Amino acid sequence: IMRDARREARVARNKTGVIRFGAAGHEVPCVVTDLTQRGAGIALGSAFGIPQIFQLTIEGETQARHCRVSWAQGSKLGVSFE
């Protein structure tokens, strides 16, 4: 059983997003499933090859967020914003 260690309730979103990383500017489409001021839940086709630290751009936002992976479960990630 996974314990929920969140400090604040996440709000369901389902917004499209793009994960960007690496010197070559790799881009991976994703869905931001929930969001708080401190982090987000992300669903993607495969979490394979996604680094621990990356940039996340969320639909409707102009500023990319610097993210660190907090947990991974299959094709889902939990990230904290730095």
Side-chain angles (χ1 to χ4, degrees):
I1 297 174
M2 212 163 100
R3 189 175 70 81
D4 191 342
R6 296 179 193 143
R7 294 182 191 162
E8 54 191 78
R10 291 199 174 179
V11 178
R13 289 291 177 216
N14 282 330
K15 289 189 172 191
T16 59
V18 177
I19 294 171
R20 290 185 178 86
F21 60 91
H26 295 290
E27 294 188 354
V28 178
C30 64
V31 175
V32 178
T33 57
D34 53 73
L35 187 64
T36 70
Q37 293 293 321
R38 297 177 188 223
I42 299 173
L44 53 162
S46 171
F48 181 78
I50 302 296
Q52 286 295 110
I53 297 172
F54 57 82
Q55 297 292 318
L56 173 66
T57 303
I58 302 171
E59 165 193 3
E61 296 185 2
T62 56
Q63 193 81 11
R65 297 176 187 240
H66 190 74
C67 299
R68 178 180 299 274
V69 175
S70 300
W71 58 265
Q73 188 175 38
S75 61
K76 297 180 181 178
L77 300 176
V79 300
S80 59
F81 300 139
E82 297 191 330

